Amino acid sequence: MIKFYYLLLVSIFFFNFTLIAQRDNEKVSGEKEIVNQGDVKSKRTILDDSTYNVYGSKTTLFLEELNLIDENYEMRFIDTSIHNFETFTFLEKDKMNHQNLGNIGTALYNISDRKPKKFEITSGFESYTPYYEKYRNIKYYDTKSPFIDLNLIFGGLGRSTIDFSFSRNVNNNWNLGFDIHRITSDKQIGSIKSKGDRNVLSSAFDLYVYHNSDNEKYRFIANFLKFNHKVFETGGILVEDKDLPIEYFQYQDFEIQLKDVESHSLYTNFHTYNEYLLDSNIRLYYKFDFLSNNIEYIDQNLPQNIDFYDNILIDTINTLDTFNLKSYENSVGVKGKFSSIYYNIYFKRYDLKYSYYLSGINRKKSENILAINIKFNKNSFLINADASLKQNGNYNLNGTVKNKFFEGGYFSGLFNPTIVENYFYGNHFFWENNFKSKFYNQIHAKFKFSNDHFDLFPEIKLSSINNYIYFNSNKLPEQHTNQLYYNDFTLSF
């Protein structure tokens, strides 16, 4: 609570600073200085009641890094509408495409799209990655005055979210800003007190800078992000009877399976993007990305929680399973536009090293990726095709077609198994596999019917997976050698 008061105090300070800064700049339009002709020294300042506010939503613009990559340099106005104002949780904003564990900030699983989100090798510990990726999507502003965006949500049963943003232009070419995010939620089951028995305690902070040269030939972005997500685990409720009493769904004092257990996910990211205009249709760009990811599972009450675990391999008193990963991405590319055709060709070098605390062995992997993206966009008709290729033969191919009435696409790719699917070393499990790459195929179509009275969007997705990897009933990874099919039918209105 003390930290919240500090945040509120900082917000008030910046708000007052904003008013003072705007007041000085509005002197020309906000005041008329009348000089007495008979006495030059006699001056009066009269307030002009017809003044107007120079600063507002139309003087604060923003763009994102993806806009720069796609050669879309037109900055957008901030959103001041109340559309979807009632949605504040991650699940609601994501249109319920994810599933969590019944409380805000808990682990997420994508139930509508099983395709890998990255072409590069990933850790596989991705239950909290959607929160991290959301915070990575930073807005870069062009402000005529200091800008503040404060969003506070206080829900029932000890749940709250805070999103605070501050940005201001140093001059016409440089913009600085930072964002603060926080999620807190109390335990909804198994709490030992009526208030303050935390289930999730999450915080994120980023600091960024954006530069655009006078001639607009050179643009530069840099940001630093630190995201710390702490969960006080409960293990859920042990359900033995098939016919559940209604009290199970009312969270009335049922015993949880774990006590004094924590999991931590710490992300530290530094990212830069540079681009330079060589010719009217040619830009060179370079991206650098560093990620340090530390994941911990801590059980300091192992003897009491012993029934929850299937195995104990090393320590019978405490569990400290720790995974550390550091990755470096370097991308160099050339992009541009010829009339309605956009192109982007780049090469990416991806290096990572990782280790488990109990093994004490560092392992390294490196990947070279060559990719191309081509778009044709004219008169609301878009064709997009992108392809990526690794040195081991794995590929990622994606194509889409869009217009006012139809949207369709095809996706195909070979993806490496994640690190945790192939290798894990902990106090309760150990495995080392050599799984094959997973093969994904998907085709989708969406139709758009709209008029002044209603919108109707039927959509179908047909997907297949070869060499799918899943965790079986023994909690071990297993590769399914047969082809799997899953289809999605959606109707939005």
Side-chain angles (χ1 to χ4, degrees), residues 66 91 105 122 174 234 272 309 346 359 369 387 404 457 483:
L66 185 60
L91 297 185
T122 62
W174 289 90
T234 66
T272 65
Y309 302 101
Y346 66 90
S359 71
I369 301 173
K404 294 180 179 180
F457 307 116
Q483 192 171 41

Side-chain angles (χ1 to χ4, degrees), residues 314-379:
I314 302 173
D315 193 338
T316 59
I317 305 300
N318 300 294
T319 291
L320 178 57
D321 289 348
T322 303
F323 174 81
N324 293 287
L325 179 144
K326 286 183 172 59
S327 66
Y328 303 85
E329 292 186 25
N330 289 275
S331 302
V332 180
V334 56
K335 64 188 182 73
K337 274 187 176 181
F338 292 95
S339 184
S340 301
I341 299 176
Y342 161 84
Y343 70 93
N344 181 8
I345 304 172
Y346 66 90
F347 171 80
K348 177 186 291 187
R349 171 74 177 188
Y350 182 66
D351 299 282
L352 65 85
K353 59 180 180 180
Y354 61 93
S355 65
Y356 290 97
Y357 170 76
L358 293 177
S359 71
I361 300 175
N362 286 313
R363 300 191 177 192
K364 297 181 180 181
K365 290 184 178 293
S366 298
E367 294 181 321
N368 297 315
I369 301 173
L370 182 64
I372 182 172
N373 178 219
I374 297 178
K375 295 179 182 179
F376 174 81
N377 192 355
K378 187 175 183 180
N379 298 330

Side-chain angles (χ1 to χ4, degrees), residues 52 107 197 213 225 235 286 365 431 462:
Y52 59 92
D197 190 5
S213 62
L225 170 64
Y286 168 71
K365 290 184 178 293
W431 61 75
L462 307 177

